[in-house]
């Protein structure tokens, strides 16, 4: 729901929408034969009115794990509702929106959580499990994995302070929380809502590390006054998480957020994880949305000079990385405690820490000034983004509906004038005109079909060229470079093994997990960049191909078509189809057949004898085999992906585009030839009613004209 200030900003546009809705209601009564088109416009107007009250603008807080993202969010909402500190890190998406205080959690679906369990089992315990089927929801399997983990822990250091393995930790958490969480899965209850008095349970649930492993999302609603009510705050999981699935969810969420607040911990400054994330965000085209905050720890810095030194170092490193955005340095935790104290809700321990910080006068003053500047700048950007996301969209849609409605009204007015002037026209003349109109419509359909087929053929060839290794635009070389640059981790190989196939299995699994993810990500980024440019070319090509149709309409209707009318072709703004996914994880037969693996083992053993003289390693030979097989498989995958894009993505899009054009030209033809739409019977009797109807249409025309005249002023008010 929008705040009072936002409602005032949108008052002009909402007034235009309300007036337009009333006008369309009158049009439906005055022109019942056009009720389908008027009803469609009315439904769109109702949706736009609903949008003005349900509009949301997401602001996402991101950064490496344990950088203080949740603390900053708590400061922004003024309450410690999200988990903070050195305990569990955020590994699921948390959203905070305006509303009555309550919490809601959503569990990962059972098939997905079972897949996570299986992947960790085979990665960590693959040698013991071999190819045995395993399931989290089978008691015997859980007991078996528990035993294997106990054996693993006796031979490997798995504490948080020693050699640490994320798969071991995930399996321990899944098993530890299964008894508690399984009742939800048995009841098929994947979501649960917590009332205000149950919020301690909500907090306990999301801060319990084993339980939180099962979480897909946590949503919190609470009243907070620091932002308009349409703002939704999001705590995104650490992008440096080792889970590819969690990282994919994070990337998808970032793409929908126009503003990304990047939190940097002053205790560590910029780390290697930050450099990786920056490069990742730049590749996704999200680097311009970043808004930097250096989260200062008062206990870590002895003086203001020390804080400034850290800030200066961060600013210099950000500048070297190509970022010109400012970096705001303040203590989110101190200001959160300060807000709590004003609300008389600060605990004893927090009160002692807050009192200790009161002696840090210089630190407080500098942090408060930076925080105020940060919030002021943040509100300015929120206002700008809301204006661009909502008001400009409303203006475009209202203008389109009002223009089309006005054209329909004026066409009917012209029709009435023609009726009054040509009341003596015969039914034979009307029949002849109708036949001419039918011929033009038939020719129009044939021409649009030809255009669509030509465009499909042309862009099918461009897609094939894109995936062809002989083309200068081919992406195969870039993907093969990723495969060629793969280095085998020799430390994964056991010193001794009785199973000669074990090194192949270990390195093959590592190859899939390290190379396939990069191939898929590279291809996804390249595909979106390629189609972004191709869409513009497609719009231009359609404009050029449709030029002869305007000549056809001029000939059929006998009137000259202006350049502005020719520019109103319905070109889609956004890609509405679903991009096919490229993956090496489809449920197909195993990459290496049993016979091929036995042959490979024989070759490796033979190579091993030869390497006794050449002193080369097994891993190099296996790596070469993996790379060769991967390159061969890549060809087939890319060919299949090319066909998916052509037939499941490009063709439906062109067909939909053709339908839009057909509807556009059909409407244009009907509006341009309204003098042919006279009734066959009762022409003399209708003449008495024409003048009254004309007066109603004149009033509707004036109302629509006023709406179009008021829109620029309404948009100006909303933008301000």
């Amino acid at each position: 729901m929008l705040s009072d200030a936002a409602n005032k900003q949108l008052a002009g546009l909402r007034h235009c929408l309300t007036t337009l809705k009333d006008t369309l209601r009158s049009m439906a009564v005055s022109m019942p034969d056009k009720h389908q088109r008027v009803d469609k416009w009315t439904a769109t107007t109702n949706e736009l009115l609903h949008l003005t009250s349900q509009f949301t603008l997401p602001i996402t807080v991101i950064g490496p794990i344990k950088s203080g993202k949740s603390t900053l969010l708590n400061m922004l909402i003024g309450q410690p509702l999200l988990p903070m500190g050195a305990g569990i890190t955020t590994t699921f998406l948390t959203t905070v929106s305006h509303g009555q205080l309550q919490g809601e959690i959503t569990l990962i679906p059972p098939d997905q959580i079972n897949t996570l369990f299986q992947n960790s089992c085979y990665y960590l315990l693959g040698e013991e499990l071999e190819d045995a089927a395993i399931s989290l929801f089978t008691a015997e399997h859980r007991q078996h994995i528990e035993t294997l983990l106990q054996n693993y822990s006796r031979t490997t250091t798995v504490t948080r302070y020693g050699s640490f393995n994320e798969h071991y930790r995930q399996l321990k958490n899944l098993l530890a929380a299964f008894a508690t969480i399984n009742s939800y899965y048995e009841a098929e209850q994947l979501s649960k809502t917590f009332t205000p008095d149950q919020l301690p349970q909500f907090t306990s649930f999301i801060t319990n590390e084993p339980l939180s492993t099962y979480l897909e999302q946590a949503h919190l609603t609470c009243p907070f006054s620091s932002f308009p009510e349409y703002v939704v705050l999001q705590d995104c999981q650490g992008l440096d998480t080792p889970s590819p699935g969690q990282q994919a969810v994070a990337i998808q969420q970032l793409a929908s957020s126009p503003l990304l607040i990047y939190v940097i911990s002053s205790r560590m400054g910029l780390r290697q994880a930050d450099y990786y994330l920056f490069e990742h965000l730049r590749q996704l085209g999200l680097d311009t949305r970043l808004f930097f905050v250096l989260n200062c720890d008062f206990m870590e810095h002895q003086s203001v000079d020390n804080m400034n030194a850290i800030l200066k170092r961060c600013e210099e490193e950000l500048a070297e990385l190509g970022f010109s955005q400012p970096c705001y340095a303040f203590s989110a935790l101190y200001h959160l405690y300060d807000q709590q104290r004003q609300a008389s809700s600060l605990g004893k321990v927090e009160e002692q820490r807050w009192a200790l910080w009161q002696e840090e006068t210089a630190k407080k003053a500098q942090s408060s000034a930076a925080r105020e500047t940060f919030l002021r700048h943040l509100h300015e950007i929120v206002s700008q983004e809301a204006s661009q996301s909502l008001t400009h969209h409303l203006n475009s849609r209202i203008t389109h509906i009002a223009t089309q409605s006005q054209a329909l009204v004026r066409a009917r007015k012209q029709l009435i004038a023609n009726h009054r002037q040509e009341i003596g026209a015969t039914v034979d003349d009307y029949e002849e005109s109708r036949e001419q109109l039918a011929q033009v419509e038939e020719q129009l359909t044939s021409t649009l079909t030809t255009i669509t087929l030509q465009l499909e053929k042309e862009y099918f060839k461009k897609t094939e060229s894109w995936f062809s290794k002989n083309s200068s635009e081919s992406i195969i070389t870039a993907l093969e470079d990723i495969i060629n640059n793969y280095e085998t981790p020799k430390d994964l190989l056991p010193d001794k093994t009785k199973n000669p196939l074990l090194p192949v299995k270990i390195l093959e699994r590592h190859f899939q997990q390290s190379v396939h993810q990069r191939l898929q990500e590279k291809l996804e980024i390249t595909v979106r960049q390629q189609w972004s440019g191709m869409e513009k070319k497609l719009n231009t090509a359609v404009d050029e191909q449709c030029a002869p149709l305007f000549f056809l309409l001029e000939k059929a209707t006998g009137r000259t078509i202006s350049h502005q009318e020719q520019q109103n072709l319905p070109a889609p703004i956004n890609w509405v189809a679903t991009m096919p996914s490229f993956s090496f994880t489809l449920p197909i037969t195993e990459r290496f057949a049993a016979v091929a693996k036995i042959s490979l083992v024989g070759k490796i053993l033979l190579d091993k004898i030869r390497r006794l003289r050449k002193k080369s390693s097994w891993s190099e030979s296996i790596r070469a085999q993996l790379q060769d097989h991967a390159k061969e498989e890549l060809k087939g995958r890319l060919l299949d992906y090319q066909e998916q894009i052509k037939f499941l993505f490009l063709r439906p899009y062109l067909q939909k585009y053709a339908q839009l054009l057909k509807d556009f030209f059909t409407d244009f033809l009907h509006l341009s030839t309204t003098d042919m739409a006279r009734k066959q019977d009762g022409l003399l009797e209708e003449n008495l009613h024409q003048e009254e109807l004309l007066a109603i249409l004149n009033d509707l025309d004036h109302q629509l004209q006023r709406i179009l005249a008021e829109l620029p002023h309404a948009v100006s008010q909303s933008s301000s």
Side-chain angles (χ1 to χ4, degrees):
M1 181 180 295
L2 291 173
S3 63
D4 293 339
N7 278 318
K8 290 179 181 178
Q9 288 183 342
L10 291 171
L13 285 171
R14 190 178 284 114
H15 172 72
C16 291
L17 279 170
T18 304
T19 305
L20 180 59
K21 181 179 179 180
D22 295 338
T23 304
L24 291 172
R25 187 182 298 113
S26 300
M27 286 179 61
V29 176
S30 304
M31 294 180 284
D33 56 315
K34 301 295 183 183
H35 73 90
Q36 290 184 345
R37 298 177 66 187
V38 176
D39 289 349
K40 179 179 66 176
W41 293 334
T42 301
T44 302
T45 304
N46 289 331
E47 291 177 2
L48 295 177
L49 280 169
H50 179 71
L51 178 63
T52 62
S53 61
Q54 299 297 321
F55 169 71
T56 60
L57 183 72
I59 298 178
T60 304
V61 178
I62 63 174
I65 291 176
K66 298 183 184 294
S67 59
K69 302 185 297 295
S70 299
T71 304
L72 179 63
L73 271 171
N74 283 332
M75 186 204 77
L76 293 176
I77 63 179
Q79 303 178 63
L81 298 177
L82 298 178
M84 304 182 300
I88 180 174
T89 58
T90 306
T91 57
F92 47 87
L93 179 67
T94 304
T95 59
V96 183
S97 59
H98 283 275
Q100 295 181 348
L101 186 60
Q102 69 174 27
E104 183 179 3
I105 59 169
T106 303
L107 300 180
I108 300 175
D111 56 337
Q112 295 182 22
I113 199 68
N114 200 39
T115 299
L116 289 176
F117 176 75
Q118 292 170 344
N119 290 342
S120 291
C121 285
Y122 292 127
Y123 187 89
L124 188 69
L125 309 168
E127 184 175 355
E128 291 83 353
L129 292 174
E130 294 184 348
D131 295 330
I134 204 77
S135 173
L136 176 63
F137 297 95
T138 302
E140 295 178 359
H141 295 171
R142 293 195 305 274
Q143 181 61 42
H144 182 48
I145 296 301
E146 182 70 38
T147 302
L148 293 178
L149 289 178
Q150 292 175 1
N151 295 335
Y152 180 87
S153 65
R154 283 195 291 267
T155 59
T156 308
T157 303
V158 293
T159 68
R160 295 171 186 248
Y161 308 100
S163 174
F164 193 76
N165 188 297
E166 286 292 340
H167 293 281
Y168 176 86
R169 181 179 181 179
Q170 180 165 273
L171 289 175
K172 292 289 289 185
N173 288 337
L174 289 173
L175 293 173
F178 183 82
T180 302
I181 210 72
N182 189 43
S183 59
Y184 292 94
Y185 286 115
E186 289 181 342
E188 297 184 354
Q189 181 186 0
L190 297 184
S191 63
K192 177 176 176 58
T193 301
F194 297 85
T195 58
D197 57 334
Q198 295 174 327
L199 279 184
Q201 301 177 32
F202 171 79
T203 303
S204 175
F205 200 109
I206 67 176
T207 55
N208 182 298
E209 182 170 345
L211 288 177
S212 68
T213 308
Y214 287 86
L215 285 184
E216 182 176 63
Q217 183 178 15
H219 182 208
L220 184 67
T221 58
C222 65
F224 56 96
S225 59
S226 55
F227 290 101
E229 294 184 7
Y230 55 79
V231 170
V232 176
L233 301 175
Q234 300 179 146
D235 185 5
C236 189
Q237 57 264 52
L239 292 180
D240 50 355
T241 172
S243 171
Q246 292 175 353
Q247 191 176 82
V249 173
I251 292 173
Q252 180 182 5
Q253 194 62 41
L254 295 186
S256 65
S257 182
L259 183 60
L260 309 176
I261 302 178
Y262 195 97
V263 182
I264 305 169
S265 171
S266 70
R267 291 181 289 105
M268 291 168 283
L270 290 175
R271 297 171 284 174
Q272 189 65 35
D274 294 285
Y275 301 147
Y276 171 77
L277 293 182
F278 290 153
E279 183 61 27
H280 200 62
L281 293 169
R282 183 172 280 112
Q283 290 178 353
L284 295 172
L286 301 174
D287 52 315
T288 57
R289 305 184 188 182
L290 290 175
F291 200 68
F292 295 105
V293 169
L294 180 64
N295 189 16
C296 297
D297 185 344
F298 281 177
M299 304 295 291
E300 182 74 16
H301 307 292
Q302 298 178 356
S303 64
V304 171
D305 292 338
N306 182 252
M307 288 174 55
N308 290 334
I310 295 294
L311 174 60
K312 182 179 180 181
R313 189 182 73 187
C314 286
E315 290 176 336
E316 291 175 350
E317 292 179 353
L318 288 173
E320 291 175 354
L321 294 171
F323 294 103
S324 59
Q325 298 95 315
C327 183
Y328 302 93
F330 57 86
S331 171
L333 185 61
Y334 167 73
H335 294 294
L336 173 62
Y337 285 175
D338 205 42
Q339 291 169 318
Q340 288 181 258
R341 194 172 189 277
Q342 295 177 18
S344 301
S345 60
L346 198 59
K348 182 178 180 180
V349 176
E350 291 80 5
E351 177 74 29
Q352 293 175 352
R353 183 179 295 184
W354 179 89
L356 180 63
W357 285 340
Q358 296 310 299
E359 301 175 3
E360 305 285 353
T361 307
K363 292 180 184 178
K364 285 196 311 173
Q366 182 163 306
S367 179
S368 298
R371 173 179 174 271
E372 291 303 319
T373 305
F374 163 75
L375 291 177
R376 183 170 61 255
H377 191 186
L378 187 59
H379 278 83
E380 291 174 358
I381 295 179
V382 166
S383 178
Q384 293 170 5
E385 292 292 341
S387 173
Q388 293 177 4
S389 301
L390 181 59
T391 59
H392 291 185
H393 173 71
L394 290 176
N395 174 48
S396 175
R397 299 296 296 275
I398 295 172
T399 300
H400 175 76
I401 296 174
T403 302
Q404 293 294 314
S405 301
Q406 189 178 53
L408 188 62
V409 169
R410 290 182 176 180
R412 181 54 58 88
K413 286 169 58 179
Q414 183 64 39
L415 175 63
I416 293 175
N418 290 340
H419 276 208
R420 299 182 68 195
Q421 294 175 4
E422 302 175 5
I423 198 67
T426 62
V427 174
D428 292 339
D429 291 336
Y430 175 72
E431 291 292 342
E432 183 179 349
S433 298
R434 285 207 313 172
E435 291 175 2
Q436 181 184 4
L437 177 61
Q439 292 174 1
V440 172
E441 289 181 340
E442 182 179 353
Q443 189 174 1
L444 176 67
T445 302
S446 175
T447 304
L448 286 175
T449 301
T450 303
I451 290 174
T452 303
L453 292 175
Q454 290 175 348
L455 289 174
E456 180 179 277
K457 183 177 180 181
E458 176 183 353
Y459 284 92
F460 271 23
K461 288 183 178 179
K462 289 185 178 181
T463 303
E464 291 172 353
S465 174
W466 181 33
F467 286 99
S468 173
K469 191 168 185 178
N470 299 325
S471 170
S472 60
E473 300 177 351
S474 174
I475 63 170
I476 295 181
T477 303
L479 297 179
E480 288 184 345
D481 285 343
I482 294 176
I483 297 174
N484 290 334
N485 291 329
Y486 170 72
E487 294 295 336
T488 55
K490 301 176 182 179
D491 56 334
L492 286 183
L493 293 176
D495 295 335
K496 295 181 180 180
T497 176
K498 295 181 180 179
N499 182 3
L501 191 58
L502 181 59
V504 180
K505 284 187 175 183
I506 293 175
L507 294 182
E508 179 185 356
R509 185 177 298 117
H510 182 273
F511 181 87
Q512 294 173 11
Q513 294 173 343
S514 61
V515 174
H516 289 181
Q517 182 70 19
R518 292 180 58 199
L519 290 175
Q520 292 174 197
E521 181 179 293
K522 176 70 175 178
L523 191 59
E524 178 181 356
I525 294 172
T526 310
V527 165
R528 294 195 178 278
Q529 292 174 345
Q530 181 77 9
W531 281 105
S532 177
M534 191 173 289
E535 183 184 10
K536 297 178 182 178
K537 296 179 182 178
L538 180 63
N539 290 338
T540 302
V542 170
D543 290 343
E544 295 173 354
Q545 293 279 1
C546 290
L549 293 177
F550 288 101
F551 173 79
L552 178 67
L553 291 173
E554 287 183 346
K555 184 178 179 181
T557 60
R559 77 176 186 85
T560 303
I561 299 174
S562 66
H563 176 73
Q564 181 61 39
E565 290 172 318
Q566 295 187 28
Q567 296 302 310
N568 289 335
L569 287 177
I573 297 174
N574 293 316
W575 205 253
V576 296
T578 300
M579 181 77 72
S581 60
F582 180 87
S583 174
F584 282 83
T585 58
L586 297 176
I588 61 173
T589 57
E590 195 173 28
R591 182 183 298 106
F592 303 123
V595 175
K597 285 192 176 182
I598 294 174
S599 174
L600 176 60
V601 171
K603 183 177 179 181
I604 290 175
L605 293 175
L606 181 60
D607 289 344
K608 183 177 181 182
I609 296 175
R610 294 173 180 171
R611 281 193 300 273
L612 293 176
R613 297 187 298 272
K614 298 182 180 180
K615 297 183 179 180
S616 57
S617 63
W618 274 37
S619 60
E620 294 301 319
S621 177
I622 299 175
R623 180 187 62 146
Q625 293 292 328
L626 290 172
Q627 289 174 331
D628 290 343
H629 280 282
K631 289 178 184 177
E632 288 300 318
E633 185 181 4
L634 182 62
K635 297 176 183 178
R637 296 286 187 179
L638 289 178
L639 181 61
D640 179 67
Y641 190 48
Q642 167 189 304
E643 296 304 304
Q644 290 184 53
I645 289 179
K646 286 165 54 178
F647 295 101
L648 301 181
F649 184 46
L650 180 57
R651 175 169 287 174
Y653 180 76
L654 286 172
Q655 291 174 348
K656 185 171 183 178
Y657 206 170
Q659 186 61 45
L660 286 172
L661 291 171
K662 181 180 178 182
D663 294 342
F664 171 82
F665 280 112
T666 300
D667 289 346
F668 192 100
L669 186 62
H670 283 302
L671 290 173
S672 302
T673 57
T674 52
D675 58 322
M676 301 177 186
R678 298 187 302 270
K679 294 187 178 295
Q680 297 184 34
D681 302 316
L683 294 179
L684 292 175
E685 290 81 358
E686 286 189 9
N687 189 45
L688 296 176
H689 304 285
Q690 299 305 305
E691 187 171 356
E692 180 181 352
L693 182 56
L694 186 60
I696 296 174
L697 293 175
N698 279 330
D699 183 58
L700 293 175
D701 191 3
H702 293 328
Q703 292 181 25
L704 292 169
Q705 189 63 36
R706 283 198 300 272
I707 292 173
L708 292 171
E710 292 174 0
L711 269 178
H713 178 66
V715 172
S716 176
Q717 283 185 328
S718 299
S719 299
S720 63

